Amino acid sequence: MGAAAAYQLAIDSGHADQAPTAALLLGWLREEQGDPAGAAAAYQLAIDSGHADVAPKAAVNLGLLRAGQGDLAGAVVACQLAIDSGHADVAPKAAVNLGLLSEEQGDPAGAAAAYQLAIDSGHADAAALAREQLGHL
């Protein structure tokens, strides 16, 4: 049995922790295999699980995937999901990503607001990066 099949078995089990984790891992695997649609579907499963730790991580990954495909609106939605989760580690990083996306879309006010969220979080890495990016606006 390959990794994808094993992840699918775990997803199909409906286990409260293992199924969302397997969906996240399946998303990573599908991305590595060059299957962005499969990756997006797997990340969405993890997001839809509502798992407090896994869903925000999947949202960030989906945002990065969407941005890489040129779907900036989809990337923004996914980043906002991660931010709205309030996850102590993931939400500030998603705020930095949202700032970068906002800059790319020509929205300096939106970028500044997103960077400020990351700064206000107190997350060491995200806040430092956000301060740096904010200084370049």
Side-chain angles (χ1 to χ4, degrees):
M1 173 185 307
Y7 293 147
Q8 192 61 56
L9 280 175
I11 292 166
D12 293 343
S13 76
H15 188 277
D17 291 321
Q18 299 305 318
T21 300
L24 177 65
L25 294 172
L26 182 59
W28 285 334
L29 179 64
R30 294 292 187 222
E31 273 197 81
E32 284 186 16
Q33 293 174 333
D35 178 8
Y43 290 144
Q44 193 62 56
L45 278 174
I47 293 165
D48 292 346
S49 76
H51 190 280
D53 190 49
V54 177
K57 292 175 183 177
V60 167
N61 288 353
L62 182 59
L64 294 171
L65 177 68
R66 295 282 190 234
Q69 294 177 310
D71 178 6
L72 298 185
V76 166
V77 169
C79 284
Q80 193 62 57
L81 283 172
I83 292 166
D84 291 346
S85 75
H87 190 284
D89 187 50
V90 177
K93 293 174 183 177
V96 172
N97 290 350
L98 181 59
L100 295 169
L101 288 167
S102 295
E103 280 191 67
E104 192 171 333
Q105 291 179 311
D107 180 10
Y115 293 142
Q116 194 61 53
L117 277 175
I119 292 166
D120 292 347
S121 75
H123 185 283
D125 296 333
L129 182 55
R131 276 191 288 278
E132 181 180 327
Q133 290 301 123
L134 192 57
H136 296 295
L137 284 181

